[in-house]
């Protein structure tokens, strides 16, 4: 399977703990995105990378959130001192930058469902 | 700021009928608009992209229209099947564009009854 993969698929943690999620994009894709989705809502943009550079962060991304893509391949999203409001599905997507047929289309992973108790 | 509105009420239709889902947006018209399908517990799956200079695009049983005057996109599934039951999301890329920083609607859940 050459799609986007995410690990873990589910995470239960206690409030105040740190969690880290991993995303492996489609290998030739240079862009990687993180979104958060709560029940009954569409995904909300958090941040994105082009290769290893983090180009933009949403205002939703508080100081407790940090994302990296050290070698322009996989990415990690860390949440420090988790709060109950962080409970959500965290989605990763990747794309190949540029105009033209098929380029720019985002391919999503299965998501990591986080529950903060 | 840019907003997208989709009908939050679930759409229930009979198998074989055409399902029509609506996506309305405010403010500027995007260069393109995308539609995704999402099944419970899964990530969204890309279906179709339509550009601002395209009025209509088709893919098998799917058809999308884009009316920049009405600031609306319609998504049609013809000859619907129970397997089409899912949540359908529309999304657009706000200015300056081509960042891929998609803004999604809340999605409309479609239920096709046999």
């Amino acid at each position: 399977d050459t799609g986007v993969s995410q690990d873990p698929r589910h995470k239960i943690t206690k409030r105040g703990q740190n969690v880290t999620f991993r995303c492996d994009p489609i290998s030739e894709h240079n862009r990687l995105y993180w979104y958060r989705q709560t029940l009954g809502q569409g995904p909300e943009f958090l941040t994105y990378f082009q290769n290893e550079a983090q180009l933009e962060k949403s205002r939703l991304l508080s100081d407790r959130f940090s994302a990296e893509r050290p070698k322009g391949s996989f990415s990690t999203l860390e949440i420090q001192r988790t709060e109950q409001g962080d409970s959500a599905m965290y989605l990763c997507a990747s794309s190949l930058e540029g105009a033209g047929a098929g380029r720019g289309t985002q391919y999503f992973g299965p998501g990591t469902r986080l529950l903060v108790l | 700021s840019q907003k997208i509105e989709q009908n939050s009420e679930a759409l229930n239709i009979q198998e074989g009928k055409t399902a029509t889902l609506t996506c309305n947006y405010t403010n500027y018209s995007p260069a393109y608009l995308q539609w995704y399908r999402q099944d419970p517990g899964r990530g969204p799956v890309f279906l179709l992209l339509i550009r601002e200079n395209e009025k209509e695009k088709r893919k098998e049983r799917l058809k999308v229209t884009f009316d920049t005057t009405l600031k609306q996109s319609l998504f049609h599934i013809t000859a619907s099947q129970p397997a089409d039951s899912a949540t359908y999301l529309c999304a657009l890329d706000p200015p300056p564009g081509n960042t891929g920083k998609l803004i999604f609607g809340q999605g409309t859940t479609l239920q096709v009854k046999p």
Side-chain angles (χ1 to χ4, degrees):
Chain A
D1 185 10
T2 57
V4 178
S5 62
Q6 293 187 244
D7 183 71
R9 294 291 308 277
H10 304 273
K11 179 72 176 178
I12 300 175
T13 191
K14 293 182 179 179
R15 188 177 54 187
Q17 298 295 305
N18 299 343
V19 294
T20 300
F21 309 141
R22 176 180 170 123
C23 171
D24 287 90
I26 294 172
S27 59
E28 64 268 25
H29 284 182
N30 52 3
R31 284 194 177 170
L32 186 148
Y33 311 84
W34 286 99
Y35 292 85
R36 180 171 66 190
Q37 186 176 28
T38 54
L39 199 62
Q41 301 298 316
E44 294 177 295
F45 169 80
L46 292 178
T47 187
Y48 88 100
F49 293 83
Q50 182 157 312
N51 300 313
E52 66 275 9
Q54 188 174 18
L55 296 188
E56 189 166 344
K57 294 196 298 185
S58 164
R59 288 171 292 176
L60 294 174
L61 218 61
S62 75
D63 292 343
R64 298 184 295 106
F65 288 71
S66 62
E68 294 182 343
R69 195 183 182 197
K71 297 182 179 179
S73 57
F74 75 91
S75 175
T76 58
L77 177 69
E78 180 183 16
I79 308 175
Q80 296 182 327
R81 304 181 304 281
T82 52
E83 302 173 355
Q84 288 182 326
D86 297 331
S87 297
M89 172 83 89
Y90 290 83
L91 293 162
C92 174
S94 69
S95 71
L96 187 61
E97 179 215 2
R103 296 173 74 93
T105 298
Q106 294 191 22
Y107 296 84
F108 282 80
T112 294
R113 184 168 295 282
L114 172 67
L115 177 61
V116 182
L117 301 176
Chain B
S1 61
Q2 185 72 327
K3 291 185 179 180
I4 297 179
E5 291 288 334
Q6 294 184 257
N7 191 343
S8 58
E9 292 185 8
L11 180 62
N12 296 297
I13 64 168
Q14 206 66 34
E15 182 176 8
K17 301 293 185 183
T18 296
T20 299
L21 285 68
T22 304
C23 175
N24 295 297
Y25 57 90
T26 60
N27 299 336
Y28 72 97
S29 282
Y32 59 84
L33 190 146
Q34 303 184 33
W35 283 87
Y36 288 79
R37 168 183 173 142
Q38 187 172 27
D39 292 285
R42 309 286 293 273
V45 174
F46 172 78
L47 296 175
L48 281 169
L49 179 152
I50 186 165
R51 302 188 186 281
E52 60 180 340
N53 60 349
E54 298 174 318
K55 296 297 183 186
E56 180 180 299
K57 181 166 275 189
R58 294 175 184 262
K59 179 183 177 182
E60 299 173 352
R61 294 184 296 111
L62 308 181
K63 184 178 84 171
V64 173
T65 62
F66 194 5
D67 188 327
T68 56
T69 301
L70 293 179
K71 295 187 176 180
Q72 181 181 81
S73 175
L74 298 179
F75 177 81
H76 306 272
I77 305 175
T78 58
S80 60
Q81 305 166 0
D84 295 327
S85 299
T87 296
Y88 292 86
L89 300 157
C90 70
L92 55 82
D93 189 350
N98 197 32
T99 65
K101 187 181 69 177
L102 296 178
I103 296 175
F104 282 86
Q106 73 270 41
T108 298
T109 298
L110 172 66
Q111 186 72 36
V112 181
K113 299 180 180 179

